[in-house]
Amino acid sequence: MLEALPRLLDDPILGLAAACRADPNPGKVDLTVGIYMDEQGVCPVFDAVRQAQRLLIEAETTKAYMPPAGDASFNSGMQQLVLGEGSEALRTGRVSSVQTPGGCGALRIGAEVINAAKPGARVWVSDPTWPVHIPLLGSVGLQFETYRYYDASSHGVDFEGMVADLKSATRDDVVLLHGCCHNPCGADLSIEQWAVIADMAEQQGFMPFVDIAYQGLGDGLDRDAAGLRLLVDRLPEIIVAASCSKNLGLYRERTGATLFICNDSSSAQALQSQALVAARRVYSMPPAHGALIAGRVLTDATLRLSWESELQGMCRRINGLRSALREKLELAADRDFSFIEHEKGMFSFLGLSGEQTRRLRAEHSVYMLDSSRINVAGVNAANIDTLARAVGQVLGH
Ligand code: LMR
């Protein structure tokens, strides 16, 4: 039965990370997967996470299943983190959530609930979007349309194109938005642009589905959620997929949450029950370890302070790397890279062709995606010159 199955191509992101790991060149540069790396090239464990983990292990008395919706402190901590402490939606009880296996699990549960409400619903995705969005939501049965988003010539958001395309979104449709730190392009909407999207959603009736996997890595926890919170204040229904992979560094613990913001609390409870039935069909119960750690960090005042200050440090460092990279690339390649400084979060496109990115790998052991998406958080003092020189060379300098 199984022998007829062919070997499939490697994942376009994870496959390149594996190719980099296998490259024997000690001077190789890995800018593939979106993982925060420190100056030593290590993906660090937050101090607050380490402490919460120690406390958790000391106090742990059981390995029995988690409740289907997950840990209560985690869920309330995540709702406050995403929606803000003064959120009217939280105060009026029109929010529910479930703990999920990572941000991918959160997207999947959101998609399952959308598909239960409207089988085969049309989801508008940005061009480009994170490549995994399509198989993740598509395997549930949802259909896709794309809206213009990134303009490669201006290296910014083609907002006119986005608005023109979304004019065709109807009350039966979902619009998938990146809450902040757009993956793959790093170009985000301004708050005024979020307000226009809110106007359109109000008038046309489409529902936003917001993926906020990078909250805290652009301009800070609250500013990164400002656009999403504006939608929540204005609209009756929104689904949010949140992740603790990047902002709490819990990549391998698979820790995330799907939030349902509804018209009233009985709809919020109904959607949570839908999510639980969907989760039971897919993975039954969420994993415990990461959510128990995150729940503690989010709700303990001392750990929270330590975490927020470490996260701010990461965010500042990424923004510093953006400036340093702009300077080095402009010197090496004699062209304008100022857009890198204005973009947010871990990713930017360098504006290279697929052929040029393949040459970077083959001739310089510099690994980025074929689209020239780089993980800015993988740059450090030891590799920035290699990177700039290599890019300069493939651009003919
Ligand atoms: C990325 O885009 O590199 C990250 O979100 C990791 C992943 O799963 O692709």
Side-chain angles (χ1 to χ4, degrees):
M1 182 196 290
L2 305 180
E3 69 193 353
L5 285 176
R7 188 193 185 289
L8 298 178
L9 292 176
D10 290 337
D11 180 87
I13 299 176
L14 305 180
L16 281 176
C20 184
R21 274 197 300 277
D23 186 334
N25 182 348
K28 64 192 174 185
V29 180
D30 183 356
L31 307 177
T32 56
V33 189
I35 295 178
Y36 178 86
M37 305 281 206
D38 63 16
E39 263 313 295
Q40 282 64 48
V42 174
C43 177
V45 181
F46 281 84
D47 273 346
V49 164
R50 211 183 279 285
Q51 283 187 52
Q53 177 163 265
R54 194 171 35 76
L55 295 170
L56 173 66
I57 288 174
E58 279 167 14
E60 191 169 62
T61 54
T62 182
K63 291 288 187 192
Y65 291 123
M66 293 294 280
D71 180 58
S73 308
F74 172 79
N75 274 317
S76 66
M78 287 302 283
Q79 291 177 10
Q80 288 199 7
L81 181 70
V82 171
L83 302 176
E85 286 183 16
S87 159
E88 169 277 339
L90 276 181
R91 221 179 35 248
T92 52
R94 60 182 191 99
V95 181
S96 66
S97 62
V98 294
Q99 180 197 319
T100 57
C104 285
L107 286 163
R108 172 72 189 232
I109 289 301
E112 294 272 353
V113 171
I114 291 165
N115 200 55
K118 195 140 300 224
R122 194 159 68 149
V123 181
W124 292 77
V125 294
S126 60
D127 178 17
T129 194
W130 182 48
V132 188
H133 278 146
I134 309 291
L136 238 175
L137 309 186
S139 60
V140 175
L142 300 175
Q143 308 294 315
F144 298 99
E145 280 289 342
T146 53
Y147 58 87
R148 276 170 280 172
Y149 188 79
Y150 184 70
D151 175 13
S153 58
S154 70
H155 299 281
V157 177
D158 173 7
F159 193 62
E160 246 173 59
M162 176 177 183
V163 167
D165 291 346
L166 288 182
K167 286 239 159 74
S168 309
T170 71
R171 54 180 302 103
D172 291 329
D173 292 350
V174 174
V175 175
L176 183 67
L177 297 157
H178 296 229
C180 60
C181 309
H182 190 282
N183 180 5
C185 70
D188 282 350
L189 298 180
S190 68
I191 199 71
E192 293 76 20
Q193 292 170 333
W194 278 98
V196 173
I197 300 300
D199 291 341
M200 294 178 76
E202 239 168 12
Q203 282 152 21
Q204 296 166 223
F206 60 75
M207 187 192 64
F209 185 9
V210 182
D211 181 352
I212 187 153
Y214 292 84
Q215 185 184 0
L217 289 145
D219 283 323
L221 286 166
D222 287 324
R223 285 177 65 188
D224 288 352
L228 161 62
R229 291 175 188 173
L230 183 150
L231 298 186
V232 169
D233 285 344
R234 302 252 320 257
L235 303 175
E237 291 184 341
I238 298 180
I239 297 182
V240 181
S243 167
C244 301
S245 296
K246 329 280 166 165
N247 57 14
L248 276 137
L250 291 168
Y251 301 84
R252 62 175 59 178
E253 315 293 359
R254 311 311 298 140
T255 309
T258 312
L259 279 65
F260 303 100
I261 298 106
C262 305
N263 236 336
D264 53 39
S265 88
S266 72
S267 312
Q269 294 318 310
L271 290 201
Q272 193 198 45
S273 76
Q274 292 279 339
L276 296 183
V277 169
R280 184 66 165 149
R281 226 180 13 248
V282 184
Y283 55 76
S284 277
M285 269 72 70
H289 196 66
L292 293 176
I293 291 171
R296 198 153 197 152
V297 172
L298 293 174
T299 53
D300 174 297
T302 315
L303 294 178
R304 172 89 182 212
L305 210 64
S306 153
W307 166 62
E308 285 197 16
S309 102
E310 210 176 333
L311 180 62
Q312 277 158 14
M314 285 182 176
C315 187
R316 267 196 305 275
R317 182 166 164 271
I318 292 178
N319 290 330
L321 286 169
R322 287 186 169 279
S323 304
L325 193 56
R326 170 203 176 165
E327 200 176 301
K328 298 272 185 191
L329 287 172
E330 287 186 348
L331 275 175
D334 194 25
R335 65 153 84 171
D336 179 22
F337 281 99
S338 56
F339 60 90
I340 294 182
E341 223 172 341
H342 308 135
E343 290 167 353
K344 299 290 172 201
M346 288 195 183
F347 306 115
S348 276
F349 285 134
L350 290 188
L352 308 178
S353 66
E355 173 55 27
Q356 286 165 330
T357 61
R358 282 186 284 279
R359 276 187 56 204
L360 283 173
R361 293 200 283 276
E363 296 167 22
H364 303 275
S365 294
V366 169
Y367 290 76
M368 61 187 65
L369 305 195
D370 286 345
S371 59
S372 84
R373 185 196 84 169
I374 58 163
N375 172 23
V376 178
V379 177
N380 57 44
N383 67 22
I384 194 167
D385 289 314
T386 310
L387 168 63
R389 210 175 318 113
V391 170
Q393 281 181 19
V394 300
L395 285 172
H397 287 271

